[in-house]
Amino acid sequence: MRWLDRIRVRVEMLLRRGHAAQQLDEELRFHLERQVAEYVAAGMSPEEARHAALRAFGNPAALRDRARETWSWSGVESVLRDARIAARTLMRAPGFALTAIGIMALGIGANIALFTVVRSVLLKPLPYQDPERLVSIYEGDVGGNHPEWSPYLPVDAGSMKDWQQAARGIADMTFASPWQQYNLSAEGGRLPEKIDAAWCSWNFFALLGVEPVLGRSFAPDDDRPGAQAAVLLSYPFWRRRYGGDPAIVGKSIWLDAKPYTVIGVLPESFVYLSKMVGTPIQVWTPLNHEAPASLLNTYEDHEFIVSARLIHGATLTGLVERLKVVQKQIVAAHPKPAVHNSVAGMSMLDDAVYGYKTPLYALLAATGCVLLIACMNVSSLLVARSAARARELAIRTALGAGRLRLMRERILESLLLSAAGGALGLLLAWGGVRWLVQTRQDMHRVEGIHIDGVVIGFAMGAIALCTLLAGLISASGSGDRQILASLQESSRGQSAGRARAGLRRALLVMEVGLTVVLLTGAGLLLKSYQRLRNSDLGVPVDNVLTMHISLPETRYKKPEQWVAFFETLIARVRALPGVQAAGLVSKAPGEGWGGDSLMTVVERPPMRKGEATDMMVRGAEPGYFDAIGIPLLRGRLFTTDERLERAHVAVISRTAERTFFPNGDAIGKHLKNDFTGGVVEVVGVVGDTRWYVSEAPQPTLFWPIYGNNYSVATIVIRAQRDVESFAMPVEKLIGQMDPDLPVSDVMTLREAIGRSTTDSRFDSILVLAFAVIALVLAAAGLYGVLAYLIAQRRTEIGIRIALGARREQVTRLMLGDGLRPALYGLALGLGASALVTRLIESMLYQTRALDPAVLGAVSLILLVVAAAACLLPAWRASRLDPMEALRAE
Amino acid sequence: MGKPSDLVQGTLDLLILKTLSTEARHGWAIAKRIQQLSGEVLQVQQGSLYPALHRLEQQGWIKAKWMESETGRQAKFYSLTTAGRSQLEKETASWERLSGAINLIVQEG
């Protein structure tokens, strides 16, 4: 029980320090009175007795202090006292304090902001039940037609059914096809719109562990071809479109002009994200009811994502290995070029943030570097200050101040700076996170980003780390061995403070090194971004507007109706005043995948069975080539008359010509679709285009959109200027032709490119900003160290000049002194960059991780900045008046 | 003048604990008692006494209580705790061993 008593006494002492002090006074007074009484009893006069008692008593203040020291909390009291001293010392040098706090705030703030993002986006579990056992399974095509393709490709229905059987006992599987769209009809005064949708197996939500907030989830009976059409709504869609109507379950909505019964509404927290799905899915429909039978029974059309829940004890690797065996058997049984030969998987969380992981961790690493640099800079400032206070410290040490006590002061000083910096940094981070959420609406899970308790904890951790780092580095420079030296040194100022300057130089080398790494990273990302911006789509991108329509097959049943609709529409668009040219295409350049087929040349059958070349396939209307600006190189374009059953003609791109007809004899030859068996005649060759801005041009085939089963089209409009202003008139035109038909993806080609380069721009600009901060800090550090060194060497310089050294010699000497750490740092940084940049290779576009131009530019910039930072102090040194410098002693 | 507490710290603790073993006393009475029992040889300085008392209280060996003194004034009375009692036994034993040893040497010489 004794320890309990002791704690009680201590707590009492802490809480009632004032009271205890009063009691102590009371106790001592009592003692004094008894002493006086004793002396009086011995015969002294009261006055005499009092004096004698006081004499015997000694110094009451000292006695009181000694007694108080035994109280356990005297430690806290003295720390508080030291903190007050440190605060006062800092306030005496507001310039220093503000600089240091500002540096710390930048470093800590950037880190808090990035940590918040990383935590919310990459680390927070998905809103499913036991999400850590959920995995996504993809197909891979090792050694296939597209070595540049990702190792994670969508899955075909055939494989996925075989997999489901094979996975029994280690995982449950479910499927979804999340890139579907529906035309939602106008209803009750609401406009028609195109909505993103997903088909899924009936067990999809059960497997994820998601319960609808209204109604029910899919049942096996919904998920068959003959079932009544059912649909589940996402929460945001239900709120937006139906105003959160609580009686929505059981009502019908019209998708592609067919009625669907709403069976439920998904919870607000539910999101479905994967590397292939970025836009929020608004409605879910049962897969077997929606997908055509041909798609559900083939191994060659890859339209699905597989999600699996591992049973306890099973691993992702185990599952993938088992599926790989199955896939090998499938490839053996179906030796077709479109059958994928491999299996790959990752956790669903990794899938949801695929493509954001590397950039975010790279940014976090960059902010980590900035924080380290900030710490070094502040500790360098502290070292400089302690050097300036060397004499004071030496005297205090000589008078008996404990080493720990002095170190504690130093650490308290750095704690005050870090804490103030951290508080300011938290504010900065708050603003930064808000800015980031607004800028990066496209980023997955961005809506979940906010500052919470864990982030505050992280901030505390960052502050503690900075305190220790900055405080200890600066405190380590003041050992008491040097007392005598500093006392002597400060009276004779020749080679003063060498040791401390050495420490600062070492810090500076590291600082410059980190700066070089950041600059290199920023340079590589900027160059990639530049390349991306300038990558040639193959067509002029200014003043081109694109908008998408899709004709529902329930209302437009026959291909003749589609052709008629498209023909009328494009004629009316062309007639709009101000439209320079307009055309129709199934998918415009730079706006996405848009369909591909495996093709062979009829005149030259492949050597081996199963060999075919993948081509992008586009339906186009003859006016499209002129409207978008694709040049005709050879032969002719197809005509408007080559439609419907006469539509078996095609023009191919230059890359396609080079791939299929290296001798340049394409015209008149025939290409055969490996899957459908359809044959087209090549009539012309046109220029290359890119389907996505960062992807190389693919062999492309254009054939008439009038026919060839196209019920979707992208309208392409070119105008002299203000092409955006044509969106409204065209939408009105379409509304006149069919009020239920929604128009989607209205954007200019510029915007389409801008969207695909958002993250590249974002990453490169942020890293550049961090690199610039680092560069400024490093330059300030260089300046500071050199200015300090020169101040220390005034006498020496004075003697040199007095003995006849020329001004430029002095400048060169000092400049060399200042530049040396920059050079060492540069070498260190370039070495480190060589190791580190490999990690961001996946973020680069047409740029090598060790790009000599970038490395050269970084070295040059660093040297120029370093020289500029050193020039002023070096020049000042050369202007030194020798008489004055020598007399100052 | 050296710090008396440094010289006799261990011993002073022992003396205080011993004095308190019979009854609770206030600081003044403790000093007087030590002086009296030692035949006026040991004069306890207030400068050592009160810090020692407070230290012992922090250690949990003695506890304090405000009570009316013999003059009718409120005074802080210290008394031994159970832990203090066993501490007193330990310190007494170690003192006897130490002083016995010193005696052996001094008398031999």
Side-chain angles (χ1 to χ4, degrees), chain B residues 11-108:
Chain B
T11 335
L12 181 59
D13 285 1
L14 173 61
L15 294 181
I16 292 172
L17 291 176
K18 182 74 194 168
T19 320
L20 292 178
S21 65
T22 45
E23 57 175 323
R25 293 170 206 274
H26 49 72
W28 166 260
I30 294 170
K32 277 284 140 198
R33 179 87 180 141
I34 292 174
Q35 201 173 335
Q36 190 187 335
L37 284 182
S38 68
E40 307 291 322
V41 173
L42 294 175
Q43 298 265 354
V44 184
Q45 295 294 325
Q46 293 86 328
S48 325
L49 176 66
Y50 285 98
L53 281 172
H54 282 249
R55 192 173 49 248
L56 292 175
E57 192 186 354
Q58 292 275 318
Q59 302 273 7
W61 289 329
I62 60 177
K63 58 177 189 254
K65 198 176 176 192
W66 285 86
M67 290 192 298
E68 197 167 304
S69 71
E70 55 281 9
T71 60
R73 204 172 167 316
Q74 285 289 316
K76 201 174 178 189
F77 280 74
Y78 294 93
S79 60
L80 271 192
T81 62
T82 327
R85 213 161 277 284
S86 60
Q87 179 67 18
L88 172 62
E89 277 167 29
K90 257 189 268 169
E91 293 215 357
T92 313
S94 92
W95 168 253
E96 274 165 7
R97 218 176 45 246
L98 185 68
S99 60
I102 293 174
N103 267 337
L104 282 177
I105 296 167
V106 171
Q107 280 161 13
E108 184 66 27

Side-chain angles (χ1 to χ4, degrees), chain A residues 874-887:
Chain A
W875 181 79
R876 267 202 211 136
S878 73
R879 299 290 114 183
L880 207 65
D881 179 355
M883 285 319 291
E884 204 178 294
L886 291 173
R887 212 180 291 137

Side-chain angles (χ1 to χ4, degrees), chain A residues 78-316:
Chain A
S78 81
V79 167
L80 284 178
R81 195 165 51 237
D82 277 1
R84 272 200 300 275
I85 292 174
R88 252 183 259 141
T89 327
L90 286 177
M91 267 188 264
R92 269 211 308 275
F96 162 79
L98 287 180
T99 315
I101 289 173
I103 293 171
M104 282 289 188
L106 268 181
I108 296 180
N111 271 278
I112 297 174
L114 250 294
F115 173 79
T116 311
V117 175
V118 165
R119 192 176 106 78
S120 311
V121 173
L122 300 184
L123 304 178
K124 210 183 273 172
L126 291 167
Y128 310 142
Q129 197 186 334
D130 297 337
E132 66 285 350
R133 286 192 291 124
L134 290 169
V135 295
S136 297
I137 310 288
Y138 288 95
E139 284 184 351
D141 202 20
V142 182
N145 285 311
H146 292 277
E148 78 280 8
W149 276 4
S150 131
Y152 301 102
L153 300 174
V155 181
D156 50 273
S159 300
M160 118 197 150
K161 285 177 188 166
D162 294 358
W163 291 0
Q164 194 171 29
Q165 295 288 329
R168 285 228 172 108
I170 56 172
D172 292 326
M173 274 191 187
T174 190
F175 321 117
S177 183
W179 32 75
Q180 305 303 326
Q181 292 192 316
Y182 289 108
N183 285 337
L184 176 64
S185 298
E187 51 196 344
R190 289 179 287 262
L191 291 174
E193 64 178 303
K194 184 143 203 169
I195 52 177
D196 289 310
W199 302 337
C200 64
S201 308
W202 66 271
N203 65 340
F204 185 79
F205 296 101
L207 187 122
L208 297 186
V210 173
E211 285 286 331
V213 283
L214 274 184
R216 61 175 177 90
S217 185
F218 293 125
D221 202 41
D222 299 312
D223 193 20
R224 56 184 176 83
Q228 211 200 351
V231 62
L232 273 171
L233 309 184
S234 81
Y235 192 91
F237 177 68
W238 171 61
R239 292 301 299 264
R240 175 175 66 77
R241 177 89 184 180
Y242 301 103
D245 175 9
I248 188 82
V249 175
K251 288 187 181 163
S252 281
I253 63 172
W254 290 73
L255 302 177
D256 285 350
K258 280 181 292 189
Y260 283 71
T261 308
V262 176
I263 62 161
V265 176
L266 293 167
E268 192 171 8
S269 63
F270 176 76
V271 284
Y272 178 73
L273 296 164
S274 89
K275 79 182 270 278
M276 301 201 171
V277 184
T279 52
I281 286 166
Q282 299 176 320
V283 302
W284 296 76
T285 49
L287 186 149
N288 285 302
H289 179 264
E290 298 296 311
S294 62
L295 181 63
L296 287 173
N297 292 307
T298 179
Y299 291 96
E300 295 179 61
D301 201 344
H302 314 277
E303 299 288 346
F304 301 94
I305 291 180
V306 175
S307 306
R309 180 178 285 281
L310 299 170
I311 64 150
H312 276 295
T315 63
L316 175 60

Side-chain angles (χ1 to χ4, degrees), chain A residues 2 5-6 9-10 13 20 23-24 26-36 38 53 56-58 63 66-68 70-73, chain B residues 3 5 26-28 31-32 45-55 57-61 66 69-71 73-76 78 83:
Chain A
R2 201 176 129 216
D5 270 345
R6 283 169 77 165
V9 171
R10 270 159 208 234
M13 278 302 193
Q23 286 201 342
L24 175 62
E26 186 61 36
E27 193 179 7
L28 296 179
R29 200 176 307 132
F30 174 74
H31 190 107
L32 194 63
E33 276 172 17
R34 293 301 299 259
Q35 189 77 55
V36 173
E38 197 187 67
F57 200 78
L63 170 54
R66 198 111 36 83
R68 285 179 74 149
T70 66
W71 302 352
S72 327
W73 297 98
Chain B
K3 279 192 259 179
S5 58
H26 49 72
W28 166 260
K32 277 284 140 198
Q45 295 294 325
Q46 293 86 328
S48 325
L49 176 66
Y50 285 98
L53 281 172
H54 282 249
R55 192 173 49 248
E57 192 186 354
Q58 292 275 318
Q59 302 273 7
W61 289 329
W66 285 86
S69 71
E70 55 281 9
T71 60
R73 204 172 167 316
Q74 285 289 316
K76 201 174 178 189
Y78 294 93

Side-chain angles (χ1 to χ4, degrees), chain A residues 297-613:
Chain A
N297 292 307
T298 179
Y299 291 96
E300 295 179 61
D301 201 344
H302 314 277
E303 299 288 346
F304 301 94
I305 291 180
V306 175
S307 306
R309 180 178 285 281
L310 299 170
I311 64 150
H312 276 295
T315 63
L316 175 60
T317 335
L319 177 62
V320 167
E321 285 312 311
R322 191 183 282 197
L323 297 181
K324 271 184 177 163
V325 175
V326 178
Q327 196 64 19
K328 276 222 175 70
Q329 293 163 354
I330 293 173
V331 173
H334 306 270
K336 293 282 216 157
V339 177
H340 293 160
N341 58 17
S342 187
V343 180
M346 56 184 152
S347 78
M348 263 184 103
L349 180 58
D350 281 349
D351 194 12
V353 296
Y354 193 88
Y356 296 103
K357 213 171 175 171
T358 316
L360 283 181
Y361 278 128
L363 285 177
L364 190 63
T367 56
C369 284
V370 171
L371 185 63
L372 266 184
I373 293 176
C375 280
M376 288 183 196
N377 231 311
V378 169
S379 67
S380 174
L381 285 175
L382 285 172
V383 172
R385 262 170 63 76
S386 71
R389 285 165 58 193
R391 195 171 178 157
E392 174 206 330
L393 292 179
I395 290 172
R396 286 179 58 186
T397 315
L399 287 180
R403 194 168 167 190
L404 269 177
R405 180 74 187 272
L406 290 179
M407 192 185 269
R408 187 171 75 186
E409 262 182 39
R410 202 68 48 74
I411 287 180
L412 274 172
E413 214 169 42
S414 105
L415 173 68
L416 285 179
L417 291 175
S418 306
L424 202 62
L426 207 55
L427 274 179
L428 276 182
W430 183 77
V433 165
R434 276 178 55 120
W435 169 80
L436 190 135
V437 168
Q438 264 165 21
T439 325
R440 287 305 298 275
Q441 283 299 327
D442 65 299
M443 194 191 296
H444 289 184
R445 311 185 81 198
V446 76
E447 65 287 341
I449 297 178
H450 51 83
I451 291 179
D452 58 8
V454 176
V455 173
I456 306 276
F458 174 83
M460 301 285 182
I463 292 173
L465 188 79
C466 293
T467 304
L468 284 181
L469 219 62
L472 285 183
I473 291 177
S474 73
S476 69
S478 54
D480 48 9
R481 279 169 278 109
Q482 302 156 353
I483 311 169
L484 196 59
S486 350
L487 283 174
Q488 289 169 337
E489 226 174 51
S490 44
S491 58
R492 302 272 334 140
Q494 277 87 320
S495 57
R498 279 282 163 133
R500 287 207 184 98
L503 181 67
R504 290 187 70 190
R505 274 207 205 111
L507 285 175
L508 206 54
V509 168
M510 280 192 275
E511 222 174 279
V512 172
L514 283 174
T515 306
V516 169
V517 172
L518 280 180
L519 278 175
T520 310
L524 291 174
L525 291 174
L526 266 187
K527 187 167 177 183
S528 295
Y529 175 59
Q530 204 64 32
R531 285 265 162 94
L532 209 52
R533 285 296 288 186
N534 294 340
S535 84
D536 185 9
L537 272 190
V539 296
V541 291
D542 284 317
N543 289 317
V544 177
L545 179 72
T546 65
M547 41 210 307
H548 196 79
I549 54 167
S550 150
L551 302 174
E553 292 175 24
T554 33
R555 185 166 304 169
Y556 301 85
K557 292 196 173 58
K558 283 182 288 182
E560 287 81 1
Q561 288 173 298
W562 309 341
V563 173
F565 186 94
F566 288 151
E567 213 170 9
T568 320
L569 173 65
I570 198 67
R572 291 191 185 176
V573 171
R574 282 186 183 131
L576 283 175
V579 171
Q580 215 174 15
L584 294 173
V585 70
S586 54
K587 197 92 175 171
E591 293 189 355
W593 187 244
D596 59 324
S597 287
L598 289 164
M599 295 288 199
T600 55
V601 179
V602 175
E603 283 78 9
R604 236 187 5 255
M607 309 297 273
R608 283 192 297 124
K609 198 172 158 45
E611 250 178 49
T613 305

